Amino acid sequence: MALTLLASAIHAVAPYVPPGLVLSVAACFIVGGKYTTFWRNEFIGTLLMVSFTFSAGKWVGADSQNVAWLSHAIGVIAADYIGGGQHVNPAVSVSMWSLGKCDYTEMFVRIAGQMGGGLVAFPIFHLLSETLGWVPFGGPDFDKEADEEGVGAAFNELFATMLLLFLIYAVNWEINFGKYHYWIKQTLTALGIRYLIEMFPASGPAM
């Protein structure tokens, strides 16, 4: 009886749950919940990052590049500060693991949290944009006709991510801005991300 009710509940809810979200949430509890905090930070951080940064240039600053850049910068800083200093990017998590900054399981859990945050954020804001008649949330400027095999998009993602990682290494480990280090390095990171998005328009949400 209990299994039948559970199966019915899952069947009823499944159409409204983004594919993969269950797997993302399940990763939160591995190793006895040892990495739950990392999952939560990544989930919240990604949700905030999508909210604050993808709206820049679409819902905020659509008619002003300066406002869009400022909005994006504030969004990146706010997402990091509120979320607790998360990676919010699988490439960053893999990079930190390869450099020995975190173990494999932490990397896996962080990426699962990032995926979960994205899976929740995009449907919510897509629904909002449709319901309220706002400009739809968009992804990379990927031309399926001119770049059918995705070569241009792949190179955009490659170089944008590589330059982003170099920027992260520099402002976090190589340069010290003194008393206001956090605010300065986060502002530079935010401006760097926005610049890379503008320079490499076919790079995806991971960028």
Side-chain angles (χ1 to χ4, degrees):
M1 180 66 177
L3 288 176
T4 303
L5 288 174
L6 179 61
S8 299
I10 293 174
H11 182 74
V13 173
Y16 304 99
V17 177
L21 185 59
V22 173
L23 294 176
S24 169
V25 174
C28 175
F29 303 101
I30 62 176
V31 197
K34 177 181 177 181
Y35 299 95
T36 298
T37 299
F38 295 116
W39 187 94
R40 184 181 66 242
N41 288 347
E42 295 293 346
F43 181 88
I44 294 173
T46 301
L47 193 63
L48 293 172
M49 185 69 77
V50 171
S51 306
F52 292 152
T53 63
F54 275 72
S55 56
K58 291 183 173 64
W59 298 348
V60 180
D63 300 320
S64 172
Q65 188 179 55
N66 290 336
V67 174
W69 277 60
L70 179 61
S71 172
H72 187 274
I74 293 173
V76 170
I77 296 170
D80 182 83
Y81 187 77
I82 297 170
Q86 62 291 321
H87 297 165
V88 296
N89 187 322
V92 174
S93 296
V94 172
S95 175
M96 294 303 160
W97 168 67
S98 68
L99 293 171
K101 299 295 183 180
C102 65
D103 60 41
Y104 181 86
T105 307
E106 180 183 327
M107 177 200 72
F108 174 81
V109 173
R110 282 184 179 275
I111 293 174
Q114 295 156 16
M115 296 298 99
L119 286 169
V120 170
F122 278 99
I124 288 175
F125 291 106
H126 181 68
L127 177 63
L128 277 176
S129 63
E130 283 194 337
T131 303
L132 301 176
W134 295 345
V135 177
F137 254 32
D141 186 15
F142 178 55
D143 190 340
K144 294 181 180 180
E145 295 182 3
D147 187 18
E148 186 176 347
E149 296 181 353
V151 175
F155 275 101
N156 268 234
E157 191 73 40
L158 169 66
F159 289 113
T161 301
M162 181 178 68
L163 292 172
L164 171 64
L165 292 173
F166 287 162
L167 173 62
I168 290 172
Y169 300 157
V171 299
N172 282 278
W173 301 333
E174 302 299 329
I175 306 172
N176 190 312
F177 298 104
K179 183 178 178 180
Y180 300 103
H181 175 75
Y182 175 81
W183 301 105
I184 295 174
K185 65 107 172 173
Q186 283 304 119
T187 301
L188 291 175
T189 301
L191 293 175
I193 292 173
R194 189 69 192 183
Y195 176 77
L196 291 173
I197 289 174
E198 297 288 344
M199 289 298 295
F200 300 96
S203 58
M207 174 50 242

